[in-house]
Amino acid sequence: MSALALMSLYVLYAPKSQGNGDEMKVASIVEQLKTVKRKRDFYQGWIDVKPGDSLSQNDEIYTHGQSSAKINFINGPEISLFENSLLRIKTVNKTNTFSLDKGNLIAKLNKDSPNLDIELGGKKYSFKSDNANIQIEQGSGENKFLLLDGKARLKDQEILPNQVVIQDLKTGNIKVKTIPFIPESPVHNLRRYFVKDTSVEFSWKSVVDDSPATLTIAKDANFKRIFYSEEITANQKTLTLSEAGTYFWRLTGKDQVSGPIKTFTLIEEMPVVVNARESILYKGPKLTDKAFISWPKNNVANFLLRLESPDKKTEEIKLSKSNYEFTPSEVGTYQVSVRVDSPERPLALWSSPLSLSVMEAHPVSITAITPPLLEKVNYNDQQTSQVLSWTGPSSVRYKVRLIKDDIVQEFETEQTSLPINLKDKGEYSWEVQGETLSGVTSNKIAGKIVIKSPLRLAQMPSEGAVIELEKPDQLVSFKWDKVEASALYQFELSDDPAFKKIIVAKDVETNNASTSLANTGRYFWRVKVKKGENVEYSSPVSVEIKPSPPLSRPEITPSLKIKLKYLEESSSFNIFDLFIGRAHAEGPVAVAEWDLPANSRAKSYIVEIYKDSDLQTLITRIETEVPHVIWKNATPGVFYWRVSYVDFWGRKTEFSRVSTLEAEVNPELLKPEPVEIQLLLPKHRAAIMPEEEDSALLSWEAIPETKTYQISISSDLEFTQILLSKKVNATDFKINCKMFDNREGEYYWKVEAQENASKRRMLQIGCAPKKVEPPVVIEEKTPVVEIKTEVVPVTKKENEHYLRLTFKPHKLSYENKANQYSAEVSGTVLNSWSVLYQKPIGMKYFQLISPTFSFSRGKVFKEITFMDMDLNLKMIRKSDGLSWGPMIAFAKKTIYVESNLKIADEGFSSPLAGVFVRTKLGAIDLNAEAGFGKLLFLHADAMVKIKSHYGAGVFVDNVSFTKEENKHSFMSFGLMFNYTFDFLDIE
C-alpha cells in the first residue's frame, strides 16, 4: 500500500511525468510571452511550456500576469490568451469546445475551422463563421463578444463587423451595439525594444461619427491598474513610455461602448552577458588553448560578435548560435563583445567587453617524492612492488623510463605516481619527465632502486620464537653469526615485516644487541651488514613477546603471634593548623610488623587485615614493595589476614589462605593515658576580688598518686605573658590583688601535673579601691597553704585570636589616561566590606598569622557594574610594641577603556608581594601596607577601640599600574566600622 501511495503521488505531482503527449496532440503553443503554465488531466502539478509544446484533450493553460500565449489547434481555431487567463480544452472533434474559466481571449475562425463552442461561467456559447476574429471578454456583470473582422453568428444572432454583443449575466438579456472606433496602431501583440524610453503612436478610425474617443491604457487586462486615460478629439495620440512591460489599451465612445482590447509589449534592451570557459589561455610550442565563449540565447535567432585582437584589429562575426570557439593566434589580450542581430532590434546593446589573456605556456616543474636511492631486499624471490611518486601539476602527461642492464621500459601516466614491479636482483635506474598538452616539457627527475638478496645468517632468537618477559622494561638479547671483514652492524626492530616503521635501530660493532620493548606482541628483526659502502640485509625474523606466566598465590603460616611496638609519630606542619588547632597531642603509635613470603618476580605485596574470619569487616589494606608489612595504629586482639602478589605486568595473584594474627601488648611499653585535671573554683568567667583587699581561692580535684601540681596565671590565652607559675603540694591556691598589682582585667589560669593538664579558665578580677565600711570577718572553711609568691607587675594584653568584620564606606576616584582619550570615575561606594582573621602560631620567627579578604561592589556610568576584591596573608613578628612582617596578596580591579566609541569595563588582576607595619599611638592602632606586582598597592589606616568589641577609624588606598600604554590609578578614602569576635580556646 505504501508503494502504491508513493507511485500515486509521483504521478500526480511529478512535472517530468507530464510528457509532450504527441500521440494525443490536438494543439500546440505557437507564441508565448513570459511564464505560461500547463497541467495535464489527472495531474496536480503545473509545468512551464514553451513554443512548440503540444497540448492534449483536457489540458489546462494558464497565463500569469504580463504574460500571454497563442495556440493553434489542428482541427480548430487559433486562440490568443490574454494575461491572467485560464483555458481548459474540453473536447475536440469536428466541434471545438473550450472552457474559459478566467480572463479574456481572441479566437480566429476560418472555413477549415468554422465553429467555436466556449463555456463562460457555466454557460455555453456557440459561434460559427468562415472568416472572423472574435474577442471574448469576461466581466463581473456582463460578457462581451466583439467581432473584429468578418461576420459571425452566435446561435441565431448574426453579428456584423465591428459589432459587440453584450449579455447581462443576471437577466440574460442580449444587446448588440456598434463599436464606435476601430484601433489601427499599435497593432495587437506588438513587441518593441527600447533604450531609456520610446514614443508610441496610438491611432484609430471612427465608425459612427467624429465624436471624441476616450483612450485608456492599463497595465492589466481588467483595466484595474490604469496607466493613462484621456478624452481625445483627434484620431491619434503619441505618448513617450519608459517602463518595460505589457500594456493594454482600448477606446470608449460617448455612449460608454468600448472597443476591443489591444495589447503591446515594451522590452528594454539589456546587454548580453558573455562568459568564457577559461579567461587565461596558454600558447605552447605544439598546441594553443582554444577559447570557448557562450551567452544566453533567450529565443534570439541571430547574434553579432565583435573580436578585437591584441594588435587592435577588429572583426565582426554573424552567428546563429549562442556560443563561439576560436584559437588565438598571438599572445596578448583579446576583447570579445556580443549583441543581438535583428532588424526588429536596431538599438540592441553590445555586451561588456570580455577579456581573454593569452600567455606563453609556463615551464613545468616536478619534484621527486621517492628517494633518489632506494634499497630493497627480495626475501622470497617473488615480484616486489615499488611506487614511484612525485609532485607536479595536473593535466600533464608524464613519461617514465625504467632501465636495467641497458634494457629500457617506458610508461605513460597522467597521475603523479606509478607502481612498478621488480624481481631480479640488481640496480634499476628510473627517470620521470612531464609534458603539457601545449608541448611544454618539465624538468627531469631520476633515481635508483637496488634489489638485493638477503644475507643468510643464523639468528637467535630464531623464526617464530616466543620470549617471555618478567618485566615490561626487561632487556631482550638478539644474536647473529659473525660476518668476516664486517666493520659495522646495524640492528633493526619493527612491528611490520616490511620494516616501514623502524622501532629500534642500533649501530653495533659486535654480533649482538639488547633492547627493551614497551609492548608485547609480534616483532620482526634483522641485521644490516656494512662493508664499506656496500650494505647487505639478513632475512627478517619474527618473534613473539609476551609476559611470563602469572605468579602462583602465596603460601603463609596458618597463625602468627606478634607483640605490638610503640613508635613516636613524627610531627608535621599542616597549613590548617594555623586556623584550627589539633584535637589531641601527638604521642606514640602502636605498630605491628612481620615478614611476608618473598618472591623475586613480585613488584609489590597487598595485605588485607580483617576483624572476622569470614572476611566481612576489613580493618585495613596495606600495599608494600618489600616482603615486610608495618601495620600502624594496631590494637591488641585476634585478627585475620591474607596476602597477594602483584607482578611487574600489574597482574594480581589470588589471595593466600587466611591466617590468624594475634597481636599482644608489650607490658614493658605500656604508657598511662593522660588524665584531665578538673578545675573546681572559681567557675569560668567568674568575677572575683571586687576590691583591692580581697583574696580568692583557686581549687581543683586531686589526681591519684600525684602530690605536686604546677599552677600558672597569664594575662593572655596562649600563656605567652605568664604572671605567676608555682609548684604546690596541695589542690588549692590562694590569690590576692597584690599579685595583679591591683589591676582589674581578664586573666587565665591552668593546672598541670606531669603529663596531665587542665583546661584553661578565665577570671574577671576587679580589685577596686577599698570603700570605708565596717570590716567583715570571713571565716575560712578550707585550709589554705600559704605560699610566698613574687608579684610581677601586670600589663593588660588584648586577645590576639579573633575574627574582625569591617564595613568600609568610602569615596572612590578612578582615572585612565591614554594618548587619545581618558575615562574618569568619581563616586561613593557603600557596598564595601572586609573580613580579617588572626591567630597565634608557634613558629620561631613569627608569632601571628592573619589572612584578610576585602571586596567592593557598585555601578558606574549608569550601566557598568563593578566588583573589586583582594586577598592577602600576613606573617606577623612582634618586637618592642611594633608588629611587622611580609605580606603576599592577590588583587583584582575593574578598569574602564574605550571600545567602539563607548566606555567598557575590563578586569585586571595581579599577584603581589610586600610588607606591612603596625604600631600604637596612645589608644590609636596604626597600620601601613605596601604591595608590588603588576600594580603598586599602598594602604594606611588608623583605628580606635570604642568598646570591648567595637571599633572605628579611617583608611586610604592608592593603586596604580600601566596596561597597553594606558595609565590607570585608583584612590579610595573612607571610614571603617568594625566588630570583633574573640576566640577563647577554654571552657
Side-chain angles (χ1 to χ4, degrees):
M1 290 298 290
S2 298
L4 181 59
L6 289 173
M7 180 59 71
S8 300
L9 289 173
Y10 178 77
V11 171
L12 285 173
Y13 290 100
K16 291 184 180 180
S17 65
Q18 301 185 37
N20 284 333
D22 289 341
E23 70 282 354
M24 298 181 292
K25 178 178 177 181
V26 297
S28 61
I29 303 293
V30 179
E31 295 178 6
Q32 77 171 79
L33 179 65
K34 296 188 178 178
T35 304
V36 179
K37 297 282 188 179
R38 179 194 68 193
K39 182 164 73 71
R40 293 284 195 198
D41 196 16
F42 300 114
Y43 289 91
Q44 296 297 318
W46 291 86
I47 63 171
D48 292 339
V49 294
K50 59 184 180 300
D53 283 355
S54 299
L55 301 177
S56 303
Q57 184 175 325
N58 293 325
D59 280 0
E60 295 180 57
I61 303 298
Y62 180 70
T63 57
H64 287 267
Q66 294 284 299
S67 67
S68 61
K70 182 183 288 187
I71 306 168
N72 273 351
F73 287 85
I74 297 175
N75 296 317
E78 179 184 273
I79 301 293
S80 296
L81 280 179
F82 285 63
E83 69 168 4
N84 293 320
S85 298
L86 175 60
L87 178 70
R88 180 194 297 272
I89 305 171
K90 300 196 66 175
T91 58
V92 177
N93 294 314
K94 291 184 179 180
T95 302
N96 304 306
T97 303
F98 310 96
S99 175
L100 185 62
D101 297 339
K102 181 181 180 183
N104 309 323
L105 62 78
I106 296 176
K108 186 176 182 179
L109 305 179
N110 53 47
K111 61 181 180 179
D112 296 326
S113 55
N115 300 318
L116 173 65
D117 290 340
I118 188 164
E119 292 183 1
L120 302 175
K123 292 184 178 183
K124 183 177 180 181
Y125 301 88
S126 298
F127 293 89
K128 187 173 183 180
S129 175
D130 292 337
N131 185 18
N133 282 342
I134 304 172
Q135 181 170 304
I136 301 174
E137 300 177 16
Q138 290 191 95
S140 58
E142 59 185 17
N143 290 332
K144 294 181 180 181
F145 306 92
L146 296 90
L147 187 60
L148 305 181
D149 295 310
K151 296 181 179 180
R153 182 176 294 277
L154 177 58
K155 288 190 177 181
D156 297 332
Q157 177 70 47
E158 184 178 6
I159 307 174
L160 299 177
N162 299 319
Q163 283 190 339
V164 58
V165 178
I166 303 172
Q167 183 180 34
D168 189 293
L169 297 181
K170 292 183 178 179
T171 63
N173 296 333
I174 293 176
K175 294 184 291 185
V176 179
K177 293 187 177 183
T178 299
I179 299 173
F181 306 101
I182 298 175
E184 291 182 342
S185 69
V187 296
H188 186 60
N189 285 336
L190 169 73
R191 289 190 186 183
R192 178 183 295 179
Y193 289 83
F194 71 98
V195 178
K196 292 186 179 179
D197 56 36
T198 183
S199 294
V200 180
E201 181 181 356
F202 297 87
S203 64
W204 54 92
K205 182 172 62 177
S206 298
V207 176
V208 181
D209 50 30
D210 293 333
S211 59
T214 299
L215 172 63
T216 304
I217 307 173
K219 298 288 287 185
D220 65 308
N222 295 324
F223 285 81
K224 292 183 178 180
R225 293 187 294 138
I226 294 176
F227 174 76
Y228 175 85
S229 181
E230 183 182 359
E231 186 177 85
I232 302 171
T233 56
N235 288 347
Q236 67 85 29
K237 178 69 175 179
T238 300
L239 297 176
T240 299
L241 304 178
S242 60
E243 183 178 353
T246 299
Y247 293 83
F248 302 83
W249 67 285
R250 67 184 177 190
L251 299 164
T252 306
K254 59 183 179 180
D255 56 356
Q256 299 302 312
V257 176
S258 300
I261 298 174
K262 298 294 183 178
T263 69
F264 64 93
T265 301
L266 299 182
I267 303 171
E268 186 176 4
E269 285 287 3
M270 302 297 291
V272 178
V273 179
V274 182
N275 296 298
R277 185 179 296 167
E278 300 287 344
S279 60
I280 300 177
L281 307 173
Y282 294 97
K283 180 177 175 59
K286 293 183 180 180
L287 189 67
T288 300
D289 294 340
K290 289 186 176 182
F292 184 82
I293 306 154
S294 62
W295 55 90
K297 189 170 180 61
N298 292 334
N299 297 324
V300 176
N302 299 306
F303 297 92
L304 188 62
L305 181 141
R306 184 166 61 197
L307 179 63
E308 181 183 299
S309 59
D311 58 3
K312 303 303 179 182
K313 293 182 180 180
T314 302
E315 178 185 6
E316 290 191 354
I317 305 167
K318 290 189 175 185
L319 299 170
S320 59
K321 56 183 180 180
S322 60
N323 58 75
Y324 181 67
E325 186 178 61
F326 74 97
T327 302
S329 59
E330 54 186 304
V331 174
T333 301
Y334 288 79
Q335 300 285 347
V336 182
S337 299
V338 177
R339 75 172 180 85
V340 175
D341 186 18
S342 172
E344 299 177 355
R345 299 176 62 178
L347 301 176
L349 302 176
W350 286 99
S351 68
S352 298
L354 175 68
S355 296
L356 299 175
S357 297
V358 181
M359 307 171 64
E360 293 288 352
H362 295 299
V364 177
S365 177
I366 62 175
T367 306
I369 298 177
T370 303
L373 177 60
L374 187 63
E375 293 184 338
K376 301 192 71 172
V377 181
N378 191 348
Y379 295 106
N380 51 16
D381 295 328
Q382 301 293 324
Q383 281 192 347
T384 179
S385 179
Q386 174 62 42
V387 177
L388 299 178
S389 57
W390 58 92
T391 60
S394 58
S395 68
V396 173
R397 181 165 293 277
Y398 297 95
K399 293 182 179 181
V400 181
R401 301 178 76 234
L402 187 65
I403 307 167
K404 182 181 185 297
D405 300 332
D406 297 329
I407 299 175
V408 179
Q409 301 179 63
E410 293 188 349
F411 310 90
E412 286 193 1
T413 179
E414 292 184 357
Q415 307 298 321
T416 56
S417 63
L418 179 70
I420 56 175
N421 293 320
L422 308 172
K423 177 183 178 182
D424 297 334
K425 176 183 178 183
E427 183 178 283
Y428 295 80
S429 298
W430 59 269
E431 58 185 37
V432 179
Q433 188 173 32
E435 182 177 353
T436 66
L437 295 177
S438 59
V440 178
T441 57
S442 72
N443 60 306
K444 187 182 293 185
I445 58 174
K448 292 182 179 180
I449 301 175
V450 179
I451 304 297
K452 296 184 176 183
S453 298
L455 186 65
R456 305 300 178 184
L457 293 176
Q459 298 172 235
M460 293 295 293
S462 59
E463 175 66 31
V466 178
I467 302 174
E468 296 179 348
L469 302 182
E470 293 182 0
K471 302 178 181 180
D473 56 352
Q474 183 176 336
L475 289 177
V476 180
S477 297
F478 299 87
K479 189 174 181 181
W480 55 91
D481 287 345
K482 189 173 182 180
V483 179
E484 296 297 332
S486 174
L488 190 65
Y489 302 97
Q490 186 176 56
F491 168 78
E492 291 183 343
L493 184 72
S494 177
D495 57 4
D496 73 278
F499 285 80
K500 294 180 180 179
K501 178 184 177 183
I502 305 297
I503 298 176
V504 177
K506 288 185 176 182
D507 290 333
V508 294
E509 296 181 355
T510 59
N511 60 330
N512 60 78
S514 297
T515 185
S516 60
L517 302 175
N519 300 309
T520 59
R522 183 162 296 278
Y523 291 88
F524 301 86
W525 71 281
R526 68 181 181 186
V527 178
K528 286 183 181 180
V529 181
K530 299 182 178 180
K531 299 179 180 179
E533 295 183 357
N534 188 31
V535 178
E536 295 183 88
Y537 295 80
S538 70
S539 297
V541 174
S542 69
V543 295
E544 184 180 355
I545 306 296
K546 66 178 185 179
S548 60
L551 298 176
S552 301
R553 81 174 188 173
E555 296 292 336
I556 59 177
T557 57
S559 61
L560 189 64
K561 190 173 184 180
I562 59 176
K563 291 185 178 180
L564 299 180
K565 299 179 181 179
Y566 289 91
L567 301 177
E568 290 293 334
E569 184 82 336
S570 60
S571 176
S572 60
F573 177 75
N574 190 321
I575 188 64
F576 291 103
D577 294 341
L578 299 176
F579 307 102
I580 303 175
R582 297 203 180 198
H584 58 82
E586 297 173 353
V589 176
V591 173
E593 56 180 317
W594 65 95
D595 291 331
L596 302 173
N599 191 314
S600 61
R601 293 172 54 198
K603 180 182 180 181
S604 61
Y605 305 80
I606 298 176
V607 177
E608 291 182 347
I609 303 174
Y610 291 86
K611 193 174 183 179
D612 56 320
S613 59
D614 295 334
L615 308 184
Q616 297 297 314
T617 305
L618 178 66
I619 298 175
T620 186
R621 179 186 176 95
I622 304 170
E623 186 167 356
T624 176
E625 294 183 355
V626 295
H628 184 80
V629 62
I630 298 177
W631 176 21
K632 292 184 178 181
N633 297 315
T635 56
V638 177
F639 307 95
Y640 303 89
W641 71 284
R642 60 182 184 176
V643 64
S644 170
Y645 295 140
V646 181
D647 67 10
F648 288 90
W649 295 96
R651 297 173 299 183
K652 299 177 183 178
T653 67
E654 182 184 353
F655 275 99
S656 65
R657 292 187 178 89
V658 179
S659 174
T660 303
L661 173 65
E662 185 177 354
E664 298 179 343
V665 177
N666 189 344
E668 299 177 357
L669 301 178
L670 285 178
K671 204 171 186 180
E673 289 290 333
V675 177
E676 180 184 336
I677 299 174
Q678 300 295 326
L679 302 181
L680 297 177
L681 294 173
K683 296 295 184 182
H684 179 52
R685 291 184 178 274
I688 61 175
M689 298 190 298
E691 298 181 357
E692 61 182 1
E693 297 296 329
D694 293 340
S695 62
L697 188 67
L698 309 182
S699 63
W700 56 91
E701 288 187 353
I703 298 177
E705 301 180 3
T706 301
K707 295 181 179 180
T708 304
Y709 300 88
Q710 181 87 22
I711 182 170
S712 301
I713 301 176
S714 174
S715 61
D716 69 312
L717 181 64
E718 302 300 326
F719 281 77
T720 60
Q721 302 291 333
I722 296 178
L723 306 179
L724 181 146
S725 180
K726 290 293 181 181
K727 289 185 178 181
V728 297
N729 296 323
T731 57
D732 53 25
F733 181 72
K734 185 176 182 181
I735 60 175
N736 53 52
C737 288
K738 292 182 179 181
M739 296 179 181
F740 301 95
D741 199 19
N742 294 331
R743 294 188 178 182
E744 66 173 341
E746 296 176 352
Y747 298 88
Y748 306 88
W749 69 288
K750 66 180 179 179
V751 178
E752 298 172 304
Q754 298 179 359
E755 301 296 329
N756 310 307
S758 70
K759 293 182 179 179
R760 291 165 287 184
R761 278 189 181 179
M762 187 182 76
L763 303 173
Q764 294 184 352
I765 296 177
C767 292
K770 182 178 179 182
K771 298 179 181 179
V772 181
E773 293 181 356
V776 178
V777 178
I778 301 176
E779 183 178 352
E780 297 281 352
K781 294 184 179 181
T782 304
V784 178
V785 177
E786 295 289 345
I787 300 176
K788 293 183 179 180
T789 61
E790 182 181 355
V791 179
V792 180
V794 178
T795 301
K796 180 70 173 64
K797 186 173 183 292
E798 294 185 359
N799 180 29
E800 294 180 327
H801 187 190
Y802 58 82
L803 177 74
R804 178 173 293 160
L805 178 63
T806 304
F807 173 51
K808 302 167 64 177
H810 62 273
K811 177 77 172 181
L812 171 66
S813 297
Y814 164 80
E815 187 176 37
N816 173 10
K817 292 184 178 179
N819 294 331
Q820 299 177 353
Y821 70 93
S822 64
E824 295 185 359
V825 176
S826 179
T828 302
V829 181
L830 297 179
N831 192 6
S832 179
W833 300 82
S834 69
V835 181
L836 179 147
Y837 176 73
Q838 180 176 287
K839 178 185 177 180
I841 54 174
M843 296 182 70
K844 183 175 181 180
Y845 294 102
F846 301 106
Q847 290 79 41
L848 300 170
I849 187 171
S850 177
T852 305
F853 174 73
S854 303
F855 76 93
S856 299
R857 188 173 187 273
K859 178 176 287 190
V860 296
F861 299 114
K862 298 182 179 180
E863 58 182 14
I864 300 177
T865 299
F866 73 90
M867 187 168 76
D868 297 341
M869 63 183 69
D870 65 80
L871 176 67
N872 67 58
L873 179 67
K874 300 181 181 72
M875 303 297 292
I876 304 172
R877 180 177 177 84
K878 302 176 65 176
S879 176
D880 298 329
L882 189 70
S883 299
W884 58 273
M887 173 184 73
I888 58 174
F890 178 84
K892 183 261 178 185
K893 291 290 184 181
T894 302
I895 62 177
Y896 308 95
V897 297
E898 184 184 43
S899 175
N900 295 326
L901 303 179
K902 294 177 61 178
I903 298 297
D905 60 312
E906 291 183 3
F908 182 83
S909 57
S910 170
L912 301 172
V915 295
F916 75 96
V917 62
R918 295 177 183 172
T919 188
K920 270 184 172 292
L921 184 62
I924 303 175
D925 293 329
L926 301 177
N927 175 52
E929 303 172 10
F932 309 91
K934 289 191 291 184
L935 55 80
L936 173 64
F937 169 76
L938 301 174
H939 169 86
D941 65 70
M943 190 188 72
V944 177
K945 190 173 182 180
I946 300 175
K947 291 185 178 181
S948 59
H949 296 287
Y950 296 93
V954 295
F955 75 96
V956 60
D957 286 339
N958 180 264
V959 177
S960 60
F961 57 90
T962 300
K963 179 185 178 185
E964 298 176 354
E965 300 183 357
N966 296 344
K967 297 180 180 180
H968 304 266
S969 63
F970 296 81
M971 176 65 74
S972 301
F973 178 78
L975 302 177
M976 299 190 306
F977 303 97
N978 61 56
Y979 182 85
T980 303
F981 301 87
D982 291 327
F983 288 88
L984 302 177
D985 298 337
I986 55 179
E987 292 180 348

